[in-house]
Amino acid sequence: MKFVSFSFLLLCIFQAVSSQPTTDPKEVAALSRIIEFWNLRNKLNITGDPCAQNATWAPETANPRVSCSCDATICHIIHLKVYALDVSGEIPIELFDLKELMDLNLGQNVLGGPIPAEIGQLSKMQYLSLGINNLTGTLPPELGNLTKLISLSFSSNNFNGPLPPQLGNLTSLQQLYIDSSGLSGPIPQELANLKSLQNLWASDNQFTGKFPEFIGTFTELRDLRLQGTSLEGPIPSSLRNLDKLDSLRIGDLGGADSSLDFLGNQTSLSILILRNSRISGQIPDEIGTFLKLQLLDLSFNKLTGNIPSSFQNFPLLRYMYLGNNGLSGEIPANIISSNLVSLDVSFNPLFGKLPLNFARVGLSMNLVGTSIDSNNLLDSQASGLLQCVRQDSECSNSNVTASFAIKCGGSSQTSASGIEYDDESEILGAASLYTSSNNEWAVSNAGNFISNPNGPVYTARTESQIIGTLDSELYKTARVSASSLRYYGLGMENGKYTVELHFAEIEMGDPYSWRGLGRRMFDVYIQGDRVLRDFNVQAEAGGSKRALVKTFEASVNNTVMDVHFFWAGKGTCCIPYQGTYGPQVSAIRVSQASDGFGSGKRDKKRAGKIAGVAVGCAAAAVIMTSVFYLWWTKNSPTHMRIHTDSSRKG
């Protein structure tokens, strides 16, 4: 009897094992070919059935990951993840034999070539991520066949051509990430069908035409990003309907001016960035009712009138940027709330008293180019500078200089040719001004890196050798900015100057890894004239950690040299980590054009000056003269290039 029972048990076990479903043989062969093609055998060594129970490659945390769905007789592969493994090569055609795929994640690799048209066969796909790769070609219209897609990402690639109108078929789409993908042309009207969108990232593309009116019908939107494109305003009033927005980032528009009339119902916003968007008119009081705001950036626009008194009511606001506008009147007394970290109101015709709590520990504030009474500022140099701005004539100029050199973001250094570069390792805030101890130059910064894992850091550093130079140490540190970085030469003799700018890309690596696929792009202005547009240091230098020197001629006619590094929304945002973008500069040297770079004249004159000039009223007067020039002539056509045209499309 026991023998019969045991035999029956073995039979049951045998039947159970023999009836366990197995993976579709065609999919097994396709997966094996994919593993070989991408050289993944050492990471995904599947020798048996890929859908075997309790497989180590099946959990959500596995990478690479292969996961399946089985019925009584057969299994199909529905999840494939090959994420951030620096896989190279093209997308193999065998991938499209996995016709039951619902989730495909190939993000953060170095895949090249086009997206094959066969991708349209994966009609059950719900989540498709191809972002941060080196894919090229045009987007296949067959993507429009994937009508079950919930999330689609192909950001940070090198595609060309327009968005296919067929993407308008993806009516279930909730997330669309296409930033920095290389696309161009008008945004198709067919995309108006994407009513379920919650996240739309489309910055840093060459989109043209008017800002799409239909975006105002995406009433489920939580996060909208459209910076660094060639779109033209005005911003449509239909955006007023987007009352679920948590983050709105629009910038760098051309064309007609916009007003802020489209704001009013977005009380859920925590981030509102409308920087450099040709916005004119007054700031509506309603923005003061956006009580969830943590970051407000209206800088580099054409706003006029007073700062609303309602701006005293933000309980959570940490960063406020109103600089480079035409705002007038007094700053509201209680604008500095308990959570405010940075306040930038620079280059506005504001006057009156400093706001309350201006000296609070941890607050950085930039008032350059205003007429605000700053006698009580702790920084006496900045105080003197602001006093000068309020005057109707130039300050006296007893401390005259003919040259200066700055080690941006680092300690003082002497170059191989004997040039002494001043220390500029000061810890700058998200809205701050610093004047040098020798009163020859100043630096201001505005902007903060959102979600940067390294925190509020505005310098970059590397331990690697910099090639292409005898001064490797000069390039191992750099000053970076999320928006606007300006260096001012103060008390300069009138005449012609040579401006020497030193660069090296030290945060983004070479593209042997996905970490090197980032693109940093920014503009450079000297004396209000744009001398570099969409400047990519890495591309011009021929790689990362390579020195690059750009030399320009400029004239000083009123004691000030202005070198402005400006981010116009271009370049990738998040490679190798979030918040990697914006201007980066290693060193600056400005000398009179008649003074040869190897003459040493600057250093001899400077040594004598430092020994003989007393720092006091004369030093403050020099700084006063400089920034007074920048602000007081703001309404003249030549100076408008510095504060307005410098942030527009050419």
Side-chain angles (χ1 to χ4, degrees), residues 37-38 87-92 110-113 135:
F37 189 82
W38 282 339
V87 171
S88 60
E90 297 187 353
I91 297 176
V110 284
L111 295 171
L135 296 169

Side-chain angles (χ1 to χ4, degrees), residues 506-526:
I506 59 175
E507 288 189 293
M508 300 177 183
D510 286 321
Y512 309 118
S513 163
W514 68 264
R515 293 174 177 82
L517 295 176
R519 297 185 293 271
R520 183 192 304 278
M521 301 171 72
F522 56 93
D523 297 342
V524 180
Y525 295 80
I526 298 176

Side-chain angles (χ1 to χ4, degrees), residues 376-563:
N376 294 323
L377 282 179
L378 296 178
D379 187 334
S380 60
Q381 293 178 340
S383 176
L385 180 153
L386 293 169
Q387 289 173 8
C388 180
V389 169
R390 294 197 305 274
Q391 300 179 12
D392 294 332
S393 60
E394 293 186 6
C395 301
S396 59
N397 187 17
S398 59
N399 186 21
V400 179
T401 184
S403 59
F404 63 90
I406 306 169
K407 174 60 198 90
C408 307
S411 57
S412 60
Q413 293 183 30
T414 302
S415 70
S417 58
I419 303 301
E420 181 185 342
Y421 288 83
D422 291 341
D423 182 291
E424 197 269 284
S425 58
E426 184 75 10
I427 298 176
L428 297 183
S432 56
L433 167 75
Y434 170 72
T435 52
S436 65
S437 59
N438 57 26
N439 306 300
E440 291 186 350
W441 53 267
V443 56
S444 66
N445 176 60
N448 64 295
F449 295 104
I450 303 173
S451 303
N452 189 323
N454 298 322
V457 178
Y458 301 97
T459 57
R461 179 181 299 274
T462 183
E463 298 301 326
S464 300
Q465 279 296 111
I466 308 299
I467 63 176
T469 178
L470 297 176
D471 295 306
S472 181
E473 295 299 319
L474 191 66
Y475 298 88
K476 288 187 176 182
T477 58
R479 178 66 67 184
V480 295
S481 175
S483 176
S484 175
L485 176 66
R486 300 182 83 136
Y487 288 88
Y488 311 101
L490 305 177
M492 305 291 292
E493 292 180 0
N494 290 339
K496 293 186 178 298
Y497 285 82
T498 300
V499 181
E500 193 180 70
L501 306 179
H502 297 255
F503 304 98
E505 178 53 66
I506 59 175
E507 288 189 293
M508 300 177 183
D510 286 321
Y512 309 118
S513 163
W514 68 264
R515 293 174 177 82
L517 295 176
R519 297 185 293 271
R520 183 192 304 278
M521 301 171 72
F522 56 93
D523 297 342
V524 180
Y525 295 80
I526 298 176
Q527 299 297 69
D529 293 321
R530 181 163 52 196
V531 296
L532 293 171
R533 181 175 184 175
D534 298 341
F535 180 49
N536 185 327
V537 176
Q538 186 180 32
E540 288 215 23
S544 298
K545 300 177 179 62
R546 296 170 181 261
L548 177 67
V549 181
K550 304 291 284 188
T551 304
F552 306 93
E553 298 293 324
S555 296
V556 170
N557 300 314
N558 197 11
T559 75
V560 173
M561 174 65 72
D562 175 29
V563 183

Side-chain angles (χ1 to χ4, degrees), residues 176-239:
L176 179 57
Y177 304 104
I178 59 176
D179 50 299
S180 302
S181 55
L183 300 173
S184 60
I187 297 178
Q189 180 65 32
E190 288 81 357
L191 267 62
N193 297 326
L194 307 183
K195 306 294 186 185
S196 299
L197 273 183
Q198 297 180 15
N199 295 347
L200 174 57
W201 294 15
S203 297
D204 184 34
N205 287 296
Q206 289 299 315
F207 293 135
T208 56
K210 294 291 186 181
F211 193 105
E213 180 88 23
F214 62 75
I215 289 181
T217 67
F218 296 165
T219 55
E220 297 299 315
L221 269 182
R222 270 71 167 175
D223 190 347
L224 173 61
R225 306 186 187 186
L226 265 173
Q227 298 173 281
T229 71
S230 296
L231 290 173
E232 296 185 349
I235 300 172
S237 59
S238 61
L239 266 64

